[in-house]
Amino acid sequence: MATMEVEVTMRTLYPAAAALLLLVAGCSGATTPTTTPSAGASSGSSASAPPTTTPSSSAASSPEPTEPGEGSGQGVGAPDDSGRFSYLCSSLNEAVPDVAYTSLAEVWASSEYVRLASCSANYEGPVPFEPTEDEARIISIAEPGVPPSEGLEAYLTALSLCSRVSDEAASELFGRSSRQMLQAASELCPRAPQGRIIGFWASGERAADGEYAVTNDGLVPGKFHLRKTPPEGCTWSVTASDGSTKASGGAAEGQSGILLKEKDVLTSDKCGIWEKIE
């Protein structure tokens, strides 16, 4: 009888004990999967974390190395995005006071842009001047052989030419600039409102009052004419390489057009701007 009671008791307790063992095993099994991934994520952070952080970091930084002009904005649209330069611009109306701007982009966007005569660029950065890579490149074009660290004035001149030059000031500012300086300005601000015009001067397709030779570093051969009707007193002449006069005249002939060939020299006085038409 006692034996039967023991068997009944064991049969009653066994399922409960088995259920308890399964519950314990199940709990310990659930703990293992949750801790293993956590440990794996932590130990592999250098391998798995970069995929989540590197793309956003790369997306933010990758455009910078691919754009020319890192640090100075060259090729991006505004060559002076370093914030180290300012501009003082005069108006075609002498009664209007000069206006100060903080960047070329601000000059270009000004509602007064077409009424500006010219602007002077100023350096506001730390002294001594240490040019960026792009600034040094522009200086080397404007003044070959000059150490870039000593070329601040050349760079400021190029910036000034990139700001605004009216037709009234073009003969003076563009006309007196060297071919190298014009090429430097053309390289510096191709996207400027006057970028295409600067390119004409830099390529030898425009000339002002003065003396210009048709050479590799001067005017290009072709037919030129006066862009606008000049004031009274306009005179010009074209001489050959031997000094003989090939043609001469005044405003009427200048507007009709003159032909310039290799080694010719154009001398112009009070005529304004000449431009290549053929």
Side-chain angles (χ1 to χ4, degrees), residues 45-120:
S45 60
S46 60
S48 60
T52 58
T53 58
T54 302
S56 61
S57 173
S58 174
S61 60
S62 61
E64 293 181 7
T66 58
E67 292 286 359
E70 185 176 4
S72 68
Q74 169 61 20
V76 182
D80 58 349
D81 66 358
S82 61
R84 299 185 299 164
F85 303 94
S86 65
Y87 302 83
L88 190 63
C89 301
S90 61
S91 173
L92 290 170
N93 183 350
E94 295 181 358
V96 176
D98 293 350
V99 181
Y101 297 95
T102 59
S103 68
L104 277 176
E106 190 176 356
V107 174
W108 298 342
S110 171
S111 60
E112 297 296 312
Y113 181 79
V114 296
R115 289 181 283 274
L116 296 177
S118 62
C119 305
S120 61

Side-chain angles (χ1 to χ4, degrees), residues 196-220:
R196 188 163 175 263
I197 294 174
I198 297 172
F200 289 150
W201 287 87
S203 63
E205 296 181 35
R206 287 201 177 183
D209 287 329
E211 188 175 282
Y212 295 83
V214 181
T215 62
N216 291 335
D217 295 325
L219 295 179
V220 294

Side-chain angles (χ1 to χ4, degrees), residues 22-194:
L22 288 173
L23 178 62
V24 172
C27 290
S28 62
T31 303
T32 303
T34 56
T35 55
T36 301
S38 174
S42 175
S43 63
S45 60
S46 60
S48 60
T52 58
T53 58
T54 302
S56 61
S57 173
S58 174
S61 60
S62 61
E64 293 181 7
T66 58
E67 292 286 359
E70 185 176 4
S72 68
Q74 169 61 20
V76 182
D80 58 349
D81 66 358
S82 61
R84 299 185 299 164
F85 303 94
S86 65
Y87 302 83
L88 190 63
C89 301
S90 61
S91 173
L92 290 170
N93 183 350
E94 295 181 358
V96 176
D98 293 350
V99 181
Y101 297 95
T102 59
S103 68
L104 277 176
E106 190 176 356
V107 174
W108 298 342
S110 171
S111 60
E112 297 296 312
Y113 181 79
V114 296
R115 289 181 283 274
L116 296 177
S118 62
C119 305
S120 61
N122 305 286
Y123 178 59
E124 307 290 349
V127 177
F129 170 66
E130 294 185 4
T132 64
E133 182 178 344
D134 281 323
E135 291 167 357
R137 183 175 64 85
I138 296 301
I139 291 169
S140 68
I141 297 173
E143 293 189 340
V146 173
S149 60
E150 298 176 12
L152 176 58
E153 288 303 318
Y155 193 74
L156 291 176
T157 299
L159 284 176
S160 295
L161 295 178
C162 285
S163 57
R164 164 66 175 164
V165 177
S166 66
D167 281 345
E168 288 79 356
S171 290
E172 176 67 14
L173 298 179
F174 286 141
R176 75 182 180 190
S177 298
S178 68
R179 183 76 172 273
Q180 290 94 336
M181 179 59 72
L182 292 168
Q183 289 171 340
S186 182
E187 286 280 329
L188 179 61
C189 57
R191 301 182 188 182
Q194 292 186 318

